[in-house]
Amino acid sequence: MNKVMTRTAQRRPGTRPPGRRDPRRPGTTPPRTPTPRTPATRTATPVPADTAPDVPTGRTAPGAPLPPRPTDLFADRLLAVLSGQRPVHWMLRHTAGRAYDELARLAERGPLRARGVRPVVRDIGYYVPRRGAIEAFARIGAGDQLRAMAFRLEQGPDLRWRCTAVELGGPRAPRTDD
């Protein structure tokens, strides 16, 4: 089974993210001297090569954190557009086919805009139907409201991931052939 869940470490809703500590700003405490520890990084788990689209092919230094998964990046990007934090054209080079039209239609209604509460990605899961394609879902939380977003990513010949479909909970728009 190729289903995978990510973002398992959850913060409790309503808690604030850790504050920024900048020693250059007045009124902040200087950073503590670092103690020799191993860095907290995501470790790569052995996965068959035909089901691991997000494992980087280049070499990385030992102990260096792995780059973020494409599912995480696209969930955050789509959320930024659908919540009105970014314009739709921000995703133009990250989409292919009808996905941009779907995204523009969805963003027009502003489905993830919430008054006073900024929506966040709470959980992401994905399924790999074939090499070079990922079907993913994200749970979007804004206060007490929980929404679902599904999207499909495909890897192009240039090895860049592009979103090819986007859906939110609710009725689908009728397809019109161009």
Side-chain angles (χ1 to χ4, degrees):
M1 179 174 257
N2 296 336
K3 290 185 180 181
V4 180
M5 297 292 293
T6 60
R7 291 198 185 187
T8 54
Q10 298 292 317
R11 288 190 340 224
R12 285 180 277 136
T15 60
R16 295 179 61 187
R20 178 180 162 186
R21 301 200 188 278
D22 190 352
R24 298 170 296 187
R25 296 181 68 192
T28 60
T29 57
R32 292 183 283 171
T33 56
T35 57
R37 288 191 217 168
T38 58
T41 59
R42 188 174 77 200
T43 58
T45 57
V47 178
D50 61 338
T51 61
D54 52 343
V55 176
T57 56
R59 293 183 178 186
T60 58
L66 294 175
R69 292 182 173 103
T71 53
D72 294 358
L73 290 174
F74 275 87
D76 290 335
R77 288 175 182 163
L78 291 169
L79 175 63
V81 169
L82 294 172
S83 63
Q85 298 168 19
R86 290 283 188 163
V88 179
H89 68 267
W90 186 59
M91 286 292 294
L92 187 58
R93 57 182 279 209
H94 302 291
T95 56
R98 296 177 183 260
Y100 184 77
D101 296 332
E102 293 172 10
L103 187 60
R105 183 186 57 78
L106 288 170
E108 202 173 79
R109 299 181 310 185
L112 297 179
R113 290 187 184 149
R115 300 227 180 245
V117 180
R118 188 174 187 169
V120 294
V121 177
R122 289 202 179 160
D123 191 24
I124 297 175
Y126 63 91
Y127 173 72
V128 181
R130 64 173 172 80
R131 186 164 182 79
I134 302 173
E135 292 178 353
F137 72 88
R139 292 185 183 106
I140 310 295
D144 296 337
Q145 187 181 17
L146 187 65
R147 302 285 306 266
M149 175 175 63
F151 55 98
R152 180 179 172 91
L153 303 176
E154 292 188 13
Q155 198 171 27
D158 59 354
L159 300 180
R160 290 180 46 204
W161 290 96
R162 289 182 179 83
C163 182
T164 57
V166 182
E167 288 184 10
L168 286 175
R172 293 183 184 175
R175 288 187 72 167
T176 57
D177 292 327
D178 295 334

